[in-house]
Amino acid sequence: MSLDGTYDDANIFALILQGKIPSTTLYEDADTLSFLDIMPQTRGHALVISKWSKARNLLDMEDEALAEVMATTKKVATAIRKALNPDGIQIAQFNGAPAGQTIFHLHVHILPRWEGDPKGFAAHGAGGKADPEALEALAQEIRAQF
Ligand code: AMP
């Protein structure tokens, strides 16, 4: 998929927002939702999305929605820092398939990083699909820091 296209109401993140598939919530407000990535690149890998914007990517997105998503990104990154004490936090966002985007509802990645760990993005996460119970336990640790 290129930078241009029509928003698909059945994309995975739209289905999460519609309550049709589960996610491990970290934080939610009227305009944004943050949840753990199911194929984490690092421990605590989180995503932030807008609840109302139908932007596929950054170039499509309303400035208001972008500001809301970034404010939530900062909140969640702060809670992750308190919970997991990483050495660094990477914020990433991909636009178009050639840039690595696979889900076409704008999302921001929050990746806690530790000294000495690999820095890249592995296909399908570092260890494949995470165990839902382990994700929920991790989410509890992070949620306790808001
Ligand atoms: P991107 O490559 O920027 O489009 O990232 C999409 C991200 O969504 C990847 O890191 C996937 O592991 C993640 N992902 C896919 N399906 C789900 C899901 N059901 N719940 C949470 N994260 C997901």
Side-chain angles (χ1 to χ4, degrees):
M1 289 244 207
S2 74
L3 289 175
D4 300 307
T6 307
Y7 182 85
D8 176 6
D9 282 306
N11 76 71
I12 291 172
F13 296 160
L15 296 180
I16 287 175
L17 288 171
Q18 292 160 28
K20 291 183 177 158
I21 59 172
S23 66
T24 310
T25 302
L26 294 179
Y27 174 86
E28 181 167 15
D29 61 24
D31 300 303
T32 62
L33 175 69
S34 178
F35 48 94
L36 287 173
D37 196 296
I38 48 161
M39 287 179 277
Q41 300 285 336
T42 66
R43 181 170 148 80
H45 179 180
L47 300 169
V48 180
I49 63 174
S50 170
K51 284 185 173 177
W52 58 267
S53 174
K54 297 210 169 182
R56 296 167 74 253
N57 59 52
L58 184 84
L59 307 183
D60 291 345
M61 203 178 218
E62 304 83 354
D63 289 351
E64 189 188 349
L66 268 179
E68 291 163 359
V69 163
M70 289 315 292
T72 294
T73 298
K74 181 178 171 184
K75 270 188 197 129
V76 175
T78 302
I80 289 174
R81 181 183 190 187
K82 287 185 193 157
L84 305 181
N85 196 29
D87 299 313
I89 301 175
Q90 181 179 27
I91 304 299
Q93 191 273 316
F94 306 144
N95 301 283
Q101 187 174 14
T102 59
I103 299 182
F104 294 85
H105 177 114
L106 181 137
H107 50 282
V108 173
H109 295 260
I110 303 172
L111 297 128
R113 297 280 189 181
W114 286 268
E115 292 289 355
D117 286 354
K119 287 195 171 64
F121 258 77
H124 308 303
K129 208 165 170 184
D131 167 40
E133 283 181 19
L135 283 186
E136 181 50 34
L138 181 57
Q140 278 177 23
E141 280 183 55
I142 298 168
R143 286 196 300 260
Q145 299 301 330
F146 283 101

